[in-house]
Amino acid sequence: MTQETKPRALNRLKSMYALRAEVDRMYEGGVEASEEGKPVAWVMLEGWSNAILNAMGVKTVFPENYSSLCAAQGMAEPFMERSEAEGWPSHLCGYARASVGYSARMVDVGGKIPPEAPGGGMPKPTLLVASGETCDARFKWFQSLGRFFDAPVWTLESPSPGIRERLSSETYERNVQFLIKELKAFVAFLENLLGKKMDWDMLEFTGGGTNEINRLRWEINELRKSRPGPMHTRDFWSVMTAALFRGAADPEVIIEGHQKMYDEVTERVEKGIAGINRPEKYRMSFEGLPPWHTLGFLDQLAERGWNFVIESAYRPMRPRTVDLSMYDDPMERYVRRRYRSLEESLQEDYEPDEVEAIKNEIIRDGTSSRLGLKHISDYQVDGVVLHVLLTCRATSAGLNLLQRKILDVLKVPSLVIEGDIIDASAFNAAEALRKAEAFEETMDHYRKVRKELGMPW
Amino acid sequence: MVRIYFAGIDLGSTMTKVVILDEDEQVCAYVVNHTGAEHRRLANKVMEEALIQAGLCIEDMSFIMATGYGRINVPFADKQITELTCHARGIASFFPNVKLAIDIGGQDVKGLKIRNGKLLDFVMSDKCAAGTGRFLEVTAETLGLKLEDLGRISLGSTQKISVSSTCTVFAQQEVVNHLSNDVPLEDVVAGLHDAIASRVARMVRRLKVEPDVVFTGGVAKNIGVVKALAESLGCPILVPEEPLLSGAIGAAIIGKELTFKALANGETIQTGERRLEEATFFK
């Protein structure tokens, strides 16, 4: 007699596995390059340096992402314990703590990859590229990692103007010139360190490939607006690494993987297949960075019919075509292809009358109540999970304000879950599940409220 | 005329509560007992006691609803439901105009925003025992007092001290320090109550404080905390006659609603196996 087994709550995309495997290949590529005596850089995700490094033949690996990989495999704790033993405080960013502990272990074993390192490990860096973008911990963190290996650290600066200032075309132009200057200085540093010249044609090629990957990711996300949501956020998180943390210049494999994913999601939409194997009771958005150590928590929520159809972090930008014909300088072309003004983003994302209302609000108040909400209404979300990170001010400080905005403007409630990206001990899954169960009543209530107000979902 | 009955069982971290209601939502019996470490062995005994008190047997129950953190370990329950929902429903049955409810139990603090008995939003403490019943238990032990005497003692305070920490361990250190400096006991206890109230008030303000504000859970029996909370929130606090029972009563009421809905639709009431025995992991 055959026993009927219930399918797993998540309905993973088949195309996800090939892209996920590319992440392993990225780390393997770093190890191989190191063994062959080729340069390897440890890089922060900041959107500018990676393509330049790859174009110069430098393999890149990413301590932030590697910490996530360790956490997802339950291997981050020993590295974090080691960082605490080195004197790093336990309330510091989990990404930083895990990579500091990893580096200390590398020093223990003579600069080699520690035998317990999951996923093949990160080889000893030739250089490190830090960034002042997003959070302050990033400055000192990479500086310290560099000291473990006596490796040079380059800190890339990128402009972070206020929202009101970002509306100004003068500010935009100044920022473009600032970026060109910064990145040219970075290239000069690399040329000096590596003793070779920048391959500008390769930069153009890899930059174009990045745009194509972004376009496909955008198209896939557009498909996710369907009911039922055809792709769960866990699949999005599994493949975003391959798209954003690329270790080599050639983008073809990643483009091909995303094309296959686009085809599979399209098929699901046509056939009405969901990203979960349970009836889609609640369409959800995940705000903040994921709990990499306990992603299975989302499977338990999927069991209850929670389908995470969209997320706030790592989302692709709307694709665009930029006329670069008037720019000959390859670095200027690189910057202008990627860097967009707030005005342009608003024009792309909102209707003309909305754009004017948002701009007026920004000029008056310094921000707009509508910013950061569009995905909630576009994906017709029933509830939002706000992941407040106890060790990350940058991603957590605004979440309470966002919670109020989402409720006031869209009548969509939020569930606050406290935790950490890497440190499993900061997360109480049982408590979070208790809250989640009760939250369903709140979501049901606001569904009625939205209906009474004539809102579309 | 045949009466029908509904039971709610709330298996909390510290106390287990069973309530039997009739169809008019009148309490026929209730039992409150310590949960203890082996709560899986206790739930059936508390239920049996309540049935004896009501002069009924388990077959007389039209529906048995379990709630609380141990709700999955009640083998005689027909359904399980989250305690937040049950608290909201139970509290609204005593105080229909409740807007904000605060429940301080053995291991957590909950704030519930309620409208017409429905749970609109909530906040919960989840990282430590600060400000919970356990905190007061440990404090009473440190002071060599009975838990139930803390409230009365604190009312005699003339100059309450400030306790900066609500961490269960660090607060005890502060208490010992104050006592060694000859600070009167009542001022120390009143200071501890203030520290709890201040922490809880900070948490529930996220939900907007609007009367009626109702306080439930074991800690609501402490008049000192009730007073401190009213001062912190700047509004009167309502406390039910038996503040431990709101979850169990809410559970029984929801059981009744499900039963009546099924009857109205001509459906069969879906009950469980009703095994009035200890829960095991093997059945």
Side-chain angles (χ1 to χ4, degrees):
Chain A
M1 194 174 86
T2 54
Q3 196 177 354
E4 208 170 298
T5 53
K6 202 175 172 187
R8 294 182 64 174
L10 282 194
N11 186 16
R12 307 300 301 255
L13 288 163
K14 290 185 183 67
S15 50
M16 174 272 295
Y17 295 102
L19 278 169
R20 175 65 191 76
E22 285 306 314
V23 180
D24 295 336
R25 259 176 233 131
M26 180 249 286
Y27 285 104
E28 285 162 14
V31 174
E32 283 164 17
S34 177
E35 284 168 356
E36 291 164 11
K38 292 178 184 165
V40 176
W42 285 17
V43 185
M44 276 180 184
L45 187 63
E46 29 68 18
W48 297 105
S49 67
N50 191 42
I52 291 172
L53 287 157
N54 291 163
M56 288 196 80
V58 180
K59 285 279 182 184
T60 44
V61 292
F62 303 86
E64 284 157 300
N65 177 256
Y66 188 68
S67 300
S68 309
L69 187 150
C70 291
Q73 297 192 22
M75 287 296 297
E77 292 317 302
F79 294 134
M80 286 193 292
E81 280 170 20
R82 181 57 196 270
S83 80
E84 283 183 46
E86 291 283 317
W88 292 71
S90 60
H91 57 264
L92 192 71
C93 163
Y95 289 150
R97 275 189 291 153
S99 57
V100 164
Y102 178 86
S103 302
R105 282 289 297 131
M106 278 191 97
V107 173
D108 289 344
V109 293
K112 296 196 169 19
I113 292 171
E116 72 274 23
M122 293 189 296
K124 189 178 169 184
T126 314
L127 74 153
L128 296 95
V129 184
S131 163
E133 203 173 78
T134 310
C135 78
D136 50 355
R138 288 175 138 204
F139 286 106
K140 287 293 170 190
W141 162 22
F142 264 44
Q143 203 178 78
S144 306
L145 293 186
R147 286 178 186 158
F148 280 103
F149 307 108
D150 196 20
V153 181
W154 184 269
T155 302
L156 264 182
E157 282 295 359
S158 56
S160 303
I163 297 174
R164 189 186 275 136
E165 291 71 23
R166 280 182 62 202
L167 271 183
S168 144
S169 55
E170 272 176 46
T171 308
Y172 172 75
E173 199 48 42
R174 264 204 308 275
N175 290 346
V176 167
Q177 296 309 322
F178 178 89
L179 278 165
I180 293 169
K181 196 175 156 199
E182 274 288 306
L183 293 172
K184 281 186 172 175
F186 177 54
V187 169
F189 158 75
L190 288 177
E191 287 179 339
N192 186 40
L193 180 76
L194 303 171
K196 64 189 283 194
K197 286 288 174 193
M198 174 71 184
D199 184 342
W200 293 105
D201 290 339
M202 184 56 87
L203 181 65
E204 186 92 9
F205 170 66
T206 194
T210 303
N211 280 9
E212 179 59 8
I213 294 168
N214 179 70
R215 184 189 69 75
L216 282 163
R217 294 179 76 227
W218 169 270
E219 298 295 344
I220 291 168
N221 261 12
E222 286 295 290
L223 291 171
R224 294 172 73 195
K225 288 177 182 168
S226 300
R227 279 180 186 267
M231 176 181 175
H232 191 270
T233 196
R234 280 203 65 186
D235 280 341
F236 178 86
W237 288 334
S238 293
V239 300
M240 72 80 190
T241 306
L244 301 179
F245 298 86
R246 280 167 46 213
D250 190 350
E252 287 309 316
V253 180
I254 309 295
I255 291 174
E256 195 186 318
H258 279 88
Q259 183 61 56
K260 283 183 180 160
M261 179 167 272
Y262 175 80
D263 295 342
E264 189 180 357
V265 178
T266 302
E267 191 186 344
R268 279 193 177 185
V269 170
E270 285 166 1
K271 293 181 176 170
I273 298 170
I276 58 173
N277 286 315
R278 305 287 181 270
E280 182 182 89
K281 281 172 73 180
Y282 301 103
R283 291 171 67 84
M284 307 298 297
S285 173
F286 195 97
E287 302 290 312
L289 297 174
W292 296 112
H293 45 77
T294 319
L295 291 173
F297 169 67
L298 295 187
D299 299 34
Q300 290 173 279
L301 295 178
E303 197 65 65
R304 305 185 63 82
W306 292 34
N307 192 5
F308 282 84
V309 296
I310 193 64
E311 52 289 308
S312 67
Y314 310 114
R315 274 211 316 273
M317 298 184 82
R318 184 187 286 272
R320 73 213 260 255
T321 311
V322 193
D323 179 10
L324 297 170
S325 58
M326 65 190 92
Y327 305 108
D328 293 328
D329 177 11
M331 188 57 88
E332 182 158 13
R333 292 168 66 81
Y334 178 66
V335 170
R336 289 192 185 275
R337 181 181 278 136
R338 292 170 157 224
Y339 192 65
R340 59 185 86 188
S341 67
L342 179 59
E343 173 82 37
E344 188 188 347
S345 299
L346 292 176
Q347 299 285 357
E348 286 166 353
D349 287 341
Y350 297 90
E351 297 299 322
D353 56 330
E354 276 185 295
V355 172
E356 281 316 302
I358 291 171
K359 281 166 65 178
N360 289 337
E361 216 179 330
I362 290 173
I363 290 163
R364 191 185 64 229
D365 303 334
T367 186
S368 164
S369 58
R370 303 178 205 212
L371 293 178
L373 304 186
K374 194 165 168 26
H375 62 289
I376 310 285
S377 51
D378 280 357
Y379 288 76
Q380 303 201 332
V381 160
D382 295 304
V384 172
V385 168
L386 298 173
H387 189 210
V388 176
L389 304 177
L390 299 175
T391 62
C392 182
R393 296 187 301 279
T395 59
S396 303
L399 286 182
N400 281 350
L401 175 66
L402 182 67
Q403 181 181 21
R404 283 203 295 276
K405 269 169 53 169
I406 295 170
L407 188 65
D408 291 348
V409 179
L410 299 177
K411 307 300 174 202
V412 173
S414 307
L415 176 66
V416 175
I417 291 176
E418 289 182 353
D420 187 62
I421 30 182
I422 303 297
D423 191 348
S425 68
F427 182 64
N428 185 340
E431 197 66 38
L433 278 171
R434 262 175 87 196
K435 288 183 182 178
E437 206 178 329
F439 184 62
E440 289 176 0
E441 190 174 344
T442 307
M443 288 195 283
D444 291 340
H445 170 77
Y446 281 102
R447 203 176 249 169
K448 282 183 200 153
V449 170
R450 289 194 302 274
K451 197 173 174 189
E452 282 164 15
L453 292 170
M455 295 171 83
W457 78 103
Chain B
M1 191 179 129
V2 180
R3 303 288 294 170
I4 55 176
Y5 301 94
F6 308 91
I9 176 161
D10 178 2
L11 220 75
S13 64
T14 309
M15 307 299 281
T16 294
K17 293 80 71 175
V18 172
V19 169
I20 296 175
L21 297 184
D22 66 15
E23 61 202 76
D24 299 321
E25 297 181 11
Q26 294 302 307
V27 177
C28 305
Y30 75 86
V31 177
V32 178
N33 211 330
H34 285 278
T35 297
E38 286 281 16
H39 64 264
R40 288 179 293 117
R41 299 183 195 282
L42 180 80
N44 58 321
K45 292 193 175 67
V46 181
M47 185 71 206
E48 278 166 6
E49 206 181 316
L51 288 168
I52 291 165
Q53 203 185 97
L56 297 166
C57 61
I58 195 154
E59 290 75 23
D60 294 326
M61 300 297 108
S62 292
F63 206 91
I64 303 174
M65 183 72 84
T67 188
Y69 98 109
R71 62 184 177 273
I72 55 163
N73 290 319
V74 182
F76 51 87
D78 299 319
K79 194 173 162 66
Q80 290 82 25
I81 195 160
T82 165
E83 65 268 32
L84 288 159
T85 301
C86 292
H87 280 300
R89 202 63 49 85
I91 291 165
S93 74
F94 318 133
F95 301 106
N97 295 323
V98 59
K99 300 270 193 323
L100 174 70
I102 298 161
D103 185 276
I104 308 185
Q107 69 176 18
D108 66 16
V109 181
K110 306 175 195 75
L112 299 89
K113 185 174 178 176
I114 301 170
R115 294 291 182 280
N116 304 318
K118 293 275 182 192
L119 179 67
L120 294 203
D121 201 357
F122 60 90
V123 286
M124 278 172 82
S125 66
D126 60 1
K127 287 289 178 286
C128 69
T132 66
R134 192 80 71 205
F135 172 82
L136 287 174
E137 273 178 22
V138 176
T139 302
E141 209 171 293
T142 305
L143 297 172
L145 300 170
K146 285 183 181 168
L147 182 63
E148 53 270 30
D149 291 339
L150 289 178
R152 181 182 50 77
I153 290 169
S154 71
L155 296 183
S157 168
T158 52
Q159 202 174 358
K160 59 190 167 195
I161 50 108
S162 163
V163 177
S164 59
S165 180
T166 47
C167 164
T168 309
V169 176
F170 295 151
Q172 307 314 313
Q173 291 172 356
E174 278 192 67
V175 164
V176 171
N177 192 37
H178 283 302
L179 291 176
S180 66
N181 287 330
D182 265 353
V183 176
L185 184 63
E186 49 269 36
D187 290 341
V188 173
V189 178
L192 283 164
H193 291 164
D194 258 13
I196 292 176
S198 156
R199 179 184 154 89
V200 172
R202 244 186 350 248
M203 195 177 105
V204 300
R205 279 204 179 95
R206 284 183 233 161
L207 299 176
K208 197 173 170 191
V209 178
E210 284 179 87
D212 291 353
V213 178
V214 177
F215 184 14
T216 61
V219 178
K221 289 189 164 191
N222 180 322
I223 183 67
V225 179
V226 176
K227 182 171 173 273
L229 199 52
E231 285 169 9
S232 274
L233 294 175
C235 68
I237 303 281
L238 304 172
V239 180
E241 200 176 322
E242 179 42 89
L244 279 165
L245 295 182
S246 55
I249 288 176
I253 291 173
I254 294 169
K256 179 193 134 180
E257 288 169 358
L258 287 176
T259 305
F260 281 21
K261 192 177 170 190
L263 291 172
N265 294 334
E267 295 165 359
T268 313
I269 302 159
Q270 297 293 323
T271 56
E273 278 186 67
R274 294 275 178 92
R275 286 185 283 115
L276 194 51
E277 58 192 40
E278 292 173 5
T280 84
F281 294 121
F282 307 108
K283 286 183 182 174

